[in-house]
Amino acid sequence: MRLIVMGQQAFGKDALAKILEAGKDEVVAVYCAPDKEGKPVDPLKEFALEQGLPVFQPANFKDEAVLEQLRAHDADLMVMAYVIIFVPEAARDIPKLGSICFHPSILPLHRGPSAVNWPIIWGSTKSGFSWFYPTDGLDEGDLLLTWECEIGPDDTVIDLYFKKIYPAGVDSVLEVCDLFRSGNPPRMPQDESKATYESWCRKKDAEINWQKPAAEVYNLIRGTNPAPGAWTTWNGEQVQIYDSRRAEGEGSPGEVVSVSEDGVTVQAAGGRILVKRVRPQGAGKIQAAEWAAQAGIAAGAKLGA
C-alpha cells in the first residue's frame, strides 16, 4: 500500500521506523506539526528527512492547497500516530481507504488529550490503546482494534505509557497495515453509554489535598508522574512530588510523620505517603531526604494549605 504517516515526536518516529523496517508498504509522505521557534526539531521530521522522505507541515488542513497536495500523493491509507492537531474529514478521506488513528486508551473510555493520566488518577486497574477511524468528534470514530494491559498498583505514567502502551502501540502499526491490506478491516462502533471525556491534566488538577484518602493521594501522585507533577506547599512555596509509596498509619492530614534516608512520610486520611523524590520550587528533582535537610523539615511540620 501507499501510506501517508502523520504524527509527532518519538511515537510518530518509531511508528514510521517500524513501517519502513517491515518493507511491505511504501511511505509516500510524512506529515507533522509546524516547527515552533526555539523548540527542537520534531523527531519524526528529523527521521523522515534522514530517510529521504518528503515532509509536510501545514498549519491548516482546511486550506485547498494542502488538500490538493494530499491528493497528489495518491495514497491508499493515512496512518495517524500521535496526532494532536485537528484534521478535518476533507483531509482524512482523501486516501482511498481513509485514515486510521491511534489513541492511548481503551475507547470509548478516556477520550481526550490526557488519556494516560486519568485512569491512574481514578484508580483504574486496566488501560491500553485503540486504533480507530477518526471523525470530527474527539476520539469518537468506529474501532479497528483495541489492546488492553494491567495498571499495576504502583504504576506511574512512565510505567503505563513508556513501558506498556508505547512499545505495544508501535508494534501494532504493522497489524493495522495488515488489516487494511487484507481488504476487510474490522469496524466496530464505540459504545456511547460507556464513553468518558477528560480534558488536559494540568497543574491545577495536580494539587494534593492531604485531607483526602491516602489511596486517592497516591493515585494522583502516580497519575501525574512525570507530568504535570503532583504538588503541595511548604512555607508558602510549591514542591512537586514524584516517586512515592503508600504506608500505614493514622494522624493529622498533611503532617510530616517522619524523615529518614528513605524519604519524608506525610499523613493523609486513613494512611500515609512516603515521599521519595521531589522538585522544590525553582530547583531540579532531588531525593526527598535531601530536600527535608535543606528546607529544615522535621516530624511535626505541616504540608499544604
Side-chain angles (χ1 to χ4, degrees):
M1 294 187 297
R2 291 171 60 85
L3 301 181
I4 295 171
V5 175
M6 178 183 292
Q8 291 177 254
Q9 300 303 322
F11 188 88
K13 171 196 168 185
D14 288 347
L16 172 60
K18 183 67 70 171
I19 291 169
L20 296 177
E21 180 184 340
K24 292 182 179 180
D25 302 294
E26 179 187 2
V27 178
V28 296
V30 173
Y31 280 75
C32 58
D35 296 334
K36 290 186 177 181
E37 188 175 349
K39 298 289 186 180
V41 175
D42 190 302
L44 172 59
K45 175 183 178 179
E46 188 173 44
F47 178 71
L49 292 175
E50 289 172 357
Q51 302 303 309
L53 298 172
V55 175
F56 302 87
Q57 299 173 274
N60 185 356
F61 279 91
K62 294 181 180 180
D63 190 295
E64 183 55 39
V66 173
L67 297 177
E68 190 58 38
Q69 183 64 70
L70 278 166
R71 295 185 191 102
H73 300 314
D74 191 30
D76 295 302
L77 178 68
M78 182 153 63
V79 178
M80 302 172 68
Y82 183 53
V83 176
I84 60 173
I85 55 177
F86 177 67
V87 181
E89 182 179 8
R92 297 191 311 267
D93 286 354
I94 285 175
K96 297 179 183 68
L97 301 174
S99 299
I100 196 70
C101 189
F102 177 84
H103 185 72
S105 81
I106 308 169
L107 292 172
L109 294 174
H110 308 297
R111 293 170 176 171
S114 292
V116 181
N117 303 88
W118 292 111
I120 301 176
I121 292 171
W122 288 6
S124 300
T125 57
K126 68 177 183 177
S127 186
F129 63 75
S130 307
W131 284 94
F132 70 102
Y133 299 84
T135 66
D136 285 350
L138 186 62
D139 306 325
E140 294 178 2
D142 292 345
L143 299 170
L144 174 75
L145 66 85
T146 59
W147 176 88
E148 202 172 285
C149 66
E150 177 190 7
I151 302 176
D154 298 313
D155 278 353
T156 65
V157 172
I158 295 172
D159 299 313
L160 176 58
Y161 182 68
F162 290 102
K163 298 179 182 179
K164 297 180 182 180
I165 292 175
Y166 186 109
V170 169
D171 287 345
S172 73
V173 74
L174 298 184
E175 182 181 357
V176 167
C177 292
D178 286 343
L179 287 170
F180 277 93
R181 194 181 297 103
S182 73
N184 189 29
R187 192 162 189 140
M188 302 162 284
Q190 293 190 35
D191 184 348
E192 291 297 325
S193 69
K194 297 179 180 178
T196 68
Y197 168 81
E198 299 87 43
S199 189
W200 289 102
C201 180
R202 300 191 186 277
K203 184 177 178 179
K204 64 179 178 62
D205 302 305
E207 182 178 5
I208 296 171
N209 179 353
W210 297 105
Q211 302 283 341
K212 289 192 172 183
E216 291 185 26
V217 174
Y218 186 53
N219 291 342
L220 178 65
I221 295 170
R222 294 190 301 126
T224 54
N225 182 3
W231 59 277
T232 188
T233 56
W234 163 250
N235 276 352
E237 291 195 347
Q238 293 181 8
V239 57
Q240 291 176 292
I241 295 176
Y242 295 94
D243 301 344
S244 66
R245 284 291 180 268
R246 289 278 304 275
E248 299 298 322
E250 298 290 337
S252 175
E255 183 177 330
V256 173
V257 178
S258 65
V259 177
S260 69
E261 290 183 358
D262 291 335
V264 178
T265 301
V266 186
Q267 184 69 48
R272 297 170 178 175
I273 304 295
L274 172 61
V275 177
K276 300 173 73 69
R277 194 162 63 118
V278 302
R279 176 185 280 162
Q281 188 169 318
K285 293 179 182 178
I286 59 174
Q287 296 301 309
E290 181 181 352
W291 166 64
Q294 292 175 356
I297 293 174
K302 197 84 167 180
L303 302 185

